[in-house]
Amino acid sequence: GLVGDIPPSWWSAAQAHAAHLASPGPAPVPAPSTSEVVRTTIMPRMGWKLSGSETLKVPLAKLSVRMATSMQLDDVATRQADLHEDNERAAQGLPLRAVLRREDLPAAAAATLGAIRDTLARLWQKVRWERRHFETLWRLAIDAVPLPGNSHMPLARREPCGCGQHGHGGAAAEAHAAAAPRQHHFWDCAVAKAVVAQINAHNPGPAPISQAQLWLVQAPPGFQQCVWDVVVMAALATTEHGRVRLRGMTRAAAALEIQTAAAAAPEAAVAGAVEAEFDLDEIPPTQLTPPQPGVNPVELACARAVAGLLVAADAVRAARRAP
């Protein structure tokens, strides 16, 4: 322990000084100089632990530029690998890393982890498509879609989904209480379900697609992998676009309600606006227009998401026919 690391000369000086204060006697032994303590005691204990080890470390005095660069890259790679594993576990319904270690998982389940990195590399190298179509999949793989409550925004205030099934309280909220934001927005939300239903309507396989097949780009029976690669990126991108549009419409509708209430009860309207804390700068102005009276914003967002998927499919078919 730390007490055991105190130099004997310090102990001797402290004990002699205490004895000298208690009764007259010889002068206390002088304490070692600060520079000597730093050189002999503090410096040897300073360093950096190596990734994946609690005992191995690089002493400060022996750290080189090459070693420091390698350690920084290792930390980034380790963090990315952890986020990839979290995504793979979420897609397959496996327990979180904090709940069950990888080595404690059944062998079959553990063997499925770690493949997403190679999948993303393959897509980046093989798929010739505008890079904007890759963004949502890339963000989803490391839980970096800007959703309050995700891995990168754990303390941010969670925002209720415009579909009414996430973050609104009541029985629906209790059913989704433990669900991470990405689980809802990219699988459980009405917008995501509409996109998945459109895929299943043209699914040549015997069973509906699974969350793992969508999130991890695993081609279902009846799909060629090259086709499924594009389907997944288009589906996730249009789901994210639909989520943002739905958020914009519901936020705008809520803001309109506050403005309408201001005429009848100004003080209550101000209190409601403060509590809502709308950040309208996050949404493009073109997406802040409320739907027409009588139009359900959830149904409209679902229809637009499905339309976006169909447009992407048409664009891919046209590109394949081009000489």
Side-chain angles (χ1 to χ4, degrees), residues 54-235:
E54 295 295 328
T55 57
L56 298 177
K57 66 179 181 179
V58 179
L60 179 63
K62 296 183 179 181
L63 181 68
S64 65
V65 174
R66 180 178 180 181
M67 294 172 66
T69 302
S70 176
M71 290 169 60
Q72 289 183 6
L73 296 179
D74 286 346
D75 289 341
V76 173
T78 299
R79 174 60 175 161
Q80 185 182 68
D82 289 342
L83 291 170
H84 282 166
E85 182 174 333
D86 289 340
N87 179 63
E88 291 174 314
R89 287 175 179 246
Q92 301 178 80
L94 298 176
L96 300 176
R97 287 185 296 116
V99 177
L100 191 64
R101 299 180 304 172
R102 184 169 183 170
E103 51 267 31
D104 295 330
L105 289 170
T112 64
L113 302 177
I116 188 62
R117 183 177 183 276
D118 293 337
T119 297
L120 297 178
R122 175 179 59 78
L123 294 175
W124 189 259
Q125 295 171 3
K126 300 296 184 181
V127 178
R128 298 291 182 260
W129 207 9
E130 292 89 345
R131 293 313 185 193
R132 60 187 175 86
H133 298 292
F134 292 67
E135 181 177 354
T136 303
L137 174 60
W138 254 246
R139 287 180 175 272
L140 181 64
I142 56 173
D143 201 16
V145 178
L147 302 170
N150 70 8
S151 301
H152 304 275
M153 307 166 64
L155 301 181
R157 179 181 61 86
R158 296 199 181 194
E159 182 177 359
C161 180
C163 72
Q165 298 298 314
H166 183 74
H168 286 269
E174 293 178 3
H176 295 82
R182 65 176 168 186
Q183 173 65 34
H184 172 78
H185 290 295
F186 289 96
W187 189 252
D188 297 332
C189 181
V191 175
K193 289 181 177 180
V195 173
V196 171
Q198 181 64 27
I199 298 174
N200 283 326
H202 301 276
N203 182 3
I209 66 170
S210 68
Q211 182 177 347
Q213 290 168 340
L214 182 64
W215 285 23
L216 306 181
V217 204
Q218 299 171 347
F223 279 95
Q224 294 182 349
Q225 185 63 57
C226 61
V227 174
W228 188 246
D229 293 343
V230 177
V231 170
V232 166
M233 288 192 290

Side-chain angles (χ1 to χ4, degrees), residues 297-323:
V298 178
E299 295 177 356
L300 180 58
C302 292
R304 286 177 172 174
V306 171
L309 179 63
L310 297 178
V311 168
D314 290 340
V316 171
R317 283 195 292 266
R320 293 185 65 182
R321 289 195 299 266

Side-chain angles (χ1 to χ4, degrees), residues 38-60:
V38 171
R39 179 178 58 83
T40 61
T41 304
I42 298 179
M43 289 292 291
R45 294 180 61 87
M46 295 184 67
W48 288 266
K49 291 183 179 180
L50 298 180
S51 300
S53 174
E54 295 295 328
T55 57
L56 298 177
K57 66 179 181 179
V58 179
L60 179 63

Side-chain angles (χ1 to χ4, degrees), residues 275-287:
E275 183 180 356
E277 295 181 351
F278 293 124
D279 185 5
L280 300 182
D281 293 335
E282 293 184 4
I283 304 175
T286 56
Q287 297 179 5

